[in-house]
């Protein structure tokens, strides 16, 4: 039991501190061109080891930027670390020398220090110095030693050795034996400088006087402070077996390959005993201080003395194993003798090289110049000699090569220019091969990504685009899509589309078409009209997001397709004063007589502007026909006496579009005996080709303006005449009944008079109280319509439209004796107007200013 084992971590830290104070700060020592430091074990985290920044001559302020670091194998413990702020190497975790270096001897930590920009590699060795942190221990706390009573003074009895993991002076230094009267202690030194004790018999034993003897064996190390361990020895006195076994030699040496299988015979031991019987039968075993690792790897046959291999050997872990074997006979008071067997392992090529990527700079720009460092590669083979000599190479079909900077360290550099668009990434096979027989190799795949630079301009899928768009498209509708490709990647391949500045018919192109900058979809911003614009072209640009940006242009030709969106416009006949068109037809006209031609135009093109004519409604379908192609209105037969004198026709003009659009015109044909020389509504209009095909709006405006002007002028003339008549009537002193308007009988108007004016002013015979305006052709047969204006019309703008009828013959009028007896009495019964004769919207405001009476004249009225 170690007397100092319970001191704890506090005493361990004090010992380490004392060691540092005695040894002074570690100073760098060059070892083969590299730095070497010494540091005691068991230092706490953060303990100072060395100032690497100063010793290596590095700028401390750039250590972090240059990624100064310790390179270690994957899975290895990081005992030491570098502070990037001051370049000091410090203890990262507690170092146990006995754990790090199992084989003993000098314990070194090999560090590889790497710094980038530029890439530099340094080697540093740190020797871990042993401190006295372990106390000696014995295999057993109590040891039984059997001694024959026949043993003579001076006989030596080897004792179990104490074990101390520490090295040098900190290991077992000496032994002590408690005072007694029979035994003394003699300390021996082995060839490896280790100590062991032998119990020496000072005077003869007498079993009959004392059967057992107890002594205390103490093992002391040479450290500061001194540690010790004790074991109790119980000496049992046996009857005499006066011969002990003897080995052929005290030490044996044997060589064994590390890949020897289990059960391999290591050595055949032989010991002899001169005694006979059980006292001469020898048993072999490991001595008590054989390490546990030896007992795991080797086995001894107790009777034959054969040492056999039990577990797998590993040259890289330990190349030498020391076996302590004892031989003892089976007689009473048997005494064990010991020998040492040294097993030397022979290295075999059983470890493949290990490839470690110390530093990788990926991805690499495709415009990187040849010689650019891509990665730092380290190789390691745990074997020795040629088995541990490694050659590293890459496949010849890649633009990379390996360059050796230090032993077992390589840099992977480029040998030629790269092109990401041709090869975006490389899988570089790195082969590490040792020089053993047979050779072992390791292949490691390093994936190197090539980073893109903006070295390719966008390219459209087509050299130009032709787009056909139906007119009257909805604003905002998609009309086409352009697409371009850029072989670059990421932002260098991100394309944005735009439309180049320009003008279409004097307007900026941006008012016609827009484009989605991300997808390339083009949209019409306005509804296109084939009649205004039939084609135009724009220039689309595709630009990537690289630096500097690259772009490409393409021409998009847009053709507008015609749609049947314009109905035919009838230009002849044109109705005057907002009413239907009228025409006179002689009663003497025979079959095929040309009444007139219905003319129309259509602003569309092609089949959409091809017009056809047909008679939609007629008073008598057997009397008139319309030519479907020319629109000529002709008679089918001669007029008969029973045919109506007024024929109402509706002619429809239809285009050839799908769906077809149409327009109608209403005609009122009056059959007369003779034809007056008046202007017909079928008058021919000279339509210029460009107006009939491309400017219908101008024609509409001209016709509307003419109609309004004519109506306005006519209304002014009528109002002026009425005002003058009213003033004359007032001066003569003849009054009219203001609430009533007398309908004045008159003669039937002639057809010439009806044709001359739509509104004929007829002064009533014998009546000065009102002015009557005859409106011919405005009502149903048997009625005449008169506009009666009172004298007060000069002061009032509001008149009323009232129908009136004459009294019947059998009615007696009390006012017959009056001055107005010769006139018709105003009927009190109001009749509804004929809805087929509603005035056009352009005339309704003017007609509201007049008071209209519906007069039925039996005697003097005419039937149409």
């Amino acid at each position: 039991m170690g007397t100092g084992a319970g001191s704890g971590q506090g005493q361990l830290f004090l010992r380490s501190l004392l060691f540092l104070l005695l040894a002074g700060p570690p100073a760098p020592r060059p070892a083969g061109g590299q730095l070497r430091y010494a540091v005691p074990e068991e230092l706490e985290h953060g303990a100072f080891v060395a100032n690497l920044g100063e010793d290596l001559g590095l700028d401390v302020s750039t250590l972090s930027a240059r990624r100064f670091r310790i390179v270690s194998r994957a899975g290895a413990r990081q005992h030491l670390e570098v502070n990037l702020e001051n370049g000091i190497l410090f203890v990262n975790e507690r170092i146990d020398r006995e754990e790090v270096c199992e084989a003993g001897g000098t314990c070194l930590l090999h560090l590889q220090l790497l710094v980038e920009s530029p890439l530099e590699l340094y080697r540093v060795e740190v020797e871990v110095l042993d401190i006295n942190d372990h106390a000696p221990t014995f295999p057993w706390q109590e040891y039984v030693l059997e001694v024959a009573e026949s043993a003579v003074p001076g006989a030596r009895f080897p004792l179990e050795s104490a074990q101390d993991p520490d090295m040098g002076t900190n290991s077992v230094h000496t032994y002590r034996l408690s005072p007694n009267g029979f035994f003394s202690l003699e300390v021996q030194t082995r060839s490896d400088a280790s100590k062991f004790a032998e119990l020496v018999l000072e005077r003869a034993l007498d079993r009959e006087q004392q059967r057992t003897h107890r002594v205390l064996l103490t093992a002391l190390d040479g450290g500061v402070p001194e540690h010790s361990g004790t074991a109790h020895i119980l000496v049992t006195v046996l009857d005499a077996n006066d011969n002990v076994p003897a080995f052929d030699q005290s030490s044996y040496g044997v060589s064994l390959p590390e890949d020897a299988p289990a059960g391999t015979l290591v050595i055949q031991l032989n010991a002899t005993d001169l005694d006979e019987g059980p006292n001469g039968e020898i048993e072999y075993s490991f001595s008590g201080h054989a390490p546990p690792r030896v007992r795991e790897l080797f086995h001894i046959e107790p009777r034959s003395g054969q040492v056999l291999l039990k577990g797998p050997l590993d040259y890289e872990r330990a190349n030498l194993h020391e076996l302590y074997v004892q031989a003892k006979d089976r007689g009473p008071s048997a005494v064990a003798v010991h020998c040492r067997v040294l097993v030397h392992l022979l290295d075999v090529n059983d470890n493949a090289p290990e490839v470690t990527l110390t530093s990788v700079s990926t991805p690499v720009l495709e415009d990187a110049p040849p010689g650019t460092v891509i990665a730092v590669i380290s190789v390691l083979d745990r074997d020795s000699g040629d088995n541990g000599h490694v050659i590293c190479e890459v496949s010849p079909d890649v633009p990379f090569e390996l360059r050796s900077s230090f032993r077992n360290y390589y840099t992977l550099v480029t040998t030629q220019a790269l092109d990401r668009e041709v090869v975006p990434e490389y899988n570089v096979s790195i082969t590490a091969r040792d020089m053993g027989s047979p050779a072992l190799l390791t292949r490691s795949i390093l994936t190197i990504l090539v980073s893109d630079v903006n070295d390719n301009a966008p390219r459209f899928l087509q050299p130009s685009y032709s787009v056909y768009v139906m007119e009257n498209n909805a604003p905002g509708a998609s009309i086409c899509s352009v697409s371009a490709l850029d072989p670059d990647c990421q932002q260098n391949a991100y394309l944005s589309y735009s439309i180049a500045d320009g003008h279409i018919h004097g307007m900026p192109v941006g008012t016609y078409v827009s484009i989605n900058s991300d997808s390339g979809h083009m949209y019409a911003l306005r509804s296109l009209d084939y009649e205004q614009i039939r084609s135009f072209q724009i220039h689309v640009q595709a630009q990537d997001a690289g630096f500097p940006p690259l772009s490409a242009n393409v021409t998009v030709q847009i053709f507008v397709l015609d749609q049947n969106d314009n109905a035919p416009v009838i230009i002849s006949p044109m109705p005057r004063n907002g009413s239907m068109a009228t025409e006179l037809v002689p009663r003497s006209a025979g079959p095929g007589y040309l009444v007139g031609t219905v003319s129309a135009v259509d602003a569309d093109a092609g089949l959409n502007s091809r017009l056809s004519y047909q008679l939609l409604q007629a008073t008598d379908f057997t009397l008139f026909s319309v030519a479907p192609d020319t629109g000529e209105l002709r008679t089918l037969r001669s007029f008969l006496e029973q045919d109506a004198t007024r024929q109402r026709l509706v002619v429809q003009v239809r285009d050839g579009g799908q769906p077809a659009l149409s327009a109608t015109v209403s005609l009122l044909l009056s059959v007369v005996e003779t034809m007056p020389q008046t202007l017909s509504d079928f008058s021919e209009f000279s339509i210029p080709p460009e107006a009939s095909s491309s400017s219908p709006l101008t024609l509409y405006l001209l016709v509307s303006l003419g109609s309004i002007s004519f109506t306005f002028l006519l209304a002014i003339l009528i109002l002026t005449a009425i005002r003058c008549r009213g003033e004359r009537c007032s001066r003569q002193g003849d009054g009219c009944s203001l609430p009533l308007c007398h309908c004045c009988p008159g003669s039937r108007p002639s057809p010439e008079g009806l044709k001359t004016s739509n509104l004929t002013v007829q002064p009533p015979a014998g009546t000065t109280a009102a002015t009557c305006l005859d409106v011919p052709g405005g009502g149903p047969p048997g009625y005449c319509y008169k506009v009666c204006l009172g004298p007060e019309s000069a002061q009032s703008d509001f008149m009323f439209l009232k129908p009136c009828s004459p009294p019947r013959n059998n009615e007696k009028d009390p006012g017959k004796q009056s001055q107005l007896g010769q006139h018709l009495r105003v009927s009190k019964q109001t009749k509804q107007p004929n809805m087929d004769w509603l005035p056009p919207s352009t005339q309704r405001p003017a007609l509201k200013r007049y008071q209209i009476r519906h007069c039925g004249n039996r005697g003097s009225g005419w039937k149409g």
Side-chain angles (χ1 to χ4, degrees), residues 16 23 158 164 182 297 323 346 400 417 469 512 543 597 637 690 710 835:
S16 301
D164 192 339
F182 293 89
L297 297 177
L323 285 63
L346 301 178
F400 305 98
V469 182
Y512 280 82
Q543 179 173 289
T597 302
R637 58 178 177 81
E690 62 274 11
F710 177 77
M835 298 305 294

Side-chain angles (χ1 to χ4, degrees), residues 182-298:
F182 293 89
F183 299 95
S184 64
L185 194 66
E186 186 171 333
V187 179
Q188 301 291 338
T189 301
R190 298 189 181 97
S191 59
D192 58 352
S194 61
K195 306 289 185 177
F196 67 94
E198 290 183 343
L199 195 63
V200 180
L201 183 62
E202 294 296 333
R203 60 192 182 102
L205 300 175
D206 189 356
R207 180 178 175 276
E208 286 72 20
Q209 292 182 2
Q210 188 175 354
R211 299 173 62 92
T212 60
H213 301 269
R214 287 185 176 271
V215 293
L216 180 64
L217 180 62
T218 301
L220 302 172
D221 60 21
V224 178
E226 184 179 70
H227 289 171
S228 63
T230 60
H232 295 278
I233 300 177
L234 177 61
V235 180
T236 303
V237 181
L238 303 176
D239 285 338
N241 180 12
D242 52 356
N243 289 291
V244 295
F247 284 100
D248 297 340
Q249 54 192 57
S250 60
S251 179
Y252 297 87
V254 63
S255 297
L256 189 66
E258 64 171 325
D259 61 347
T264 300
L265 176 63
V266 178
I267 191 174
Q268 174 69 58
L269 297 178
N270 185 31
T272 58
D273 193 326
L274 299 178
D275 293 328
E276 295 181 354
N279 293 333
E281 296 178 0
I282 300 174
E283 290 184 350
Y284 301 89
S285 63
F286 285 113
S287 62
H289 53 271
R293 178 64 178 167
V294 171
R295 299 176 185 271
E296 294 175 0
L297 297 177
F298 300 96

Side-chain angles (χ1 to χ4, degrees), residues 349-491:
N349 194 21
D350 59 344
N351 290 281
E354 299 177 6
V355 178
T356 303
L357 299 177
T358 302
S359 178
V360 180
S361 298
T362 183
V364 58
L365 291 175
E366 61 177 323
D367 59 351
T372 301
V373 178
I374 306 301
V376 177
I377 301 169
S378 63
V379 294
L380 175 65
D381 195 318
R382 298 179 181 277
D383 296 323
S384 61
D386 290 342
N387 296 333
H389 183 68
V390 180
I391 297 177
C392 197
E393 58 187 10
V394 296
S395 54
D397 56 345
V398 294
F400 305 98
E401 67 178 3
L402 289 175
R403 296 177 182 175
S404 178
S405 54
F406 296 97
R407 185 176 183 272
N408 292 338
Y409 277 87
Y410 298 87
T411 55
L412 183 66
V413 299
T414 59
T415 58
Q416 63 187 39
L418 306 177
D419 190 350
R420 191 206 65 83
E421 287 71 38
V422 177
V423 182
E425 70 176 26
Y426 293 90
N427 292 320
V428 180
S429 177
I430 301 173
T431 303
R433 187 192 314 271
D434 61 26
M435 302 299 294
S437 180
L440 299 180
L441 59 87
T442 298
R443 283 192 177 91
S444 181
I445 303 299
L446 174 60
T447 299
I448 299 176
L449 301 178
V450 181
S451 179
D452 184 51
V453 296
N454 195 23
D455 56 349
N456 291 278
R459 179 175 55 85
F460 283 93
L461 299 183
Q462 300 180 21
S464 63
Y465 291 84
S466 296
V467 181
Y468 297 89
V469 182
M470 187 67 68
E471 67 170 333
N472 300 319
N473 58 292
S478 176
I479 58 175
C480 70
S481 177
V482 297
S483 180
L485 297 178
D486 194 319
D488 294 324
C489 68
Q490 296 179 355
Q491 70 173 13

Side-chain angles (χ1 to χ4, degrees), residues 620-642:
D620 189 350
F621 280 98
T622 64
L623 191 54
F624 299 97
S625 67
V626 175
D629 296 330
T630 62
E632 294 179 346
L633 180 63
R634 294 180 181 272
T635 59
L636 294 175
R637 58 178 177 81
S638 299
F639 288 95
L640 303 176
E641 287 297 331
Q642 60 271 24

Side-chain angles (χ1 to χ4, degrees), residues 61-81:
S61 61
T62 62
L63 295 181
S64 179
R66 297 181 63 185
R67 299 182 62 195
F68 184 60
R69 62 190 183 276
I70 298 176
V71 178
S72 59
R73 292 185 293 103
R77 298 178 62 179
Q78 195 76 16
H79 295 288
L80 301 175
E81 189 56 79

Side-chain angles (χ1 to χ4, degrees), residues 102 120 128 220 374 449 494 571 602 623 660 687 771 801 842:
E102 295 181 1
E120 296 178 348
V128 181
L220 302 172
I374 306 301
L449 301 178
Y494 177 77
I571 60 175
D602 195 316
L623 191 54
I687 306 299
T771 301
L801 181 65
T842 58

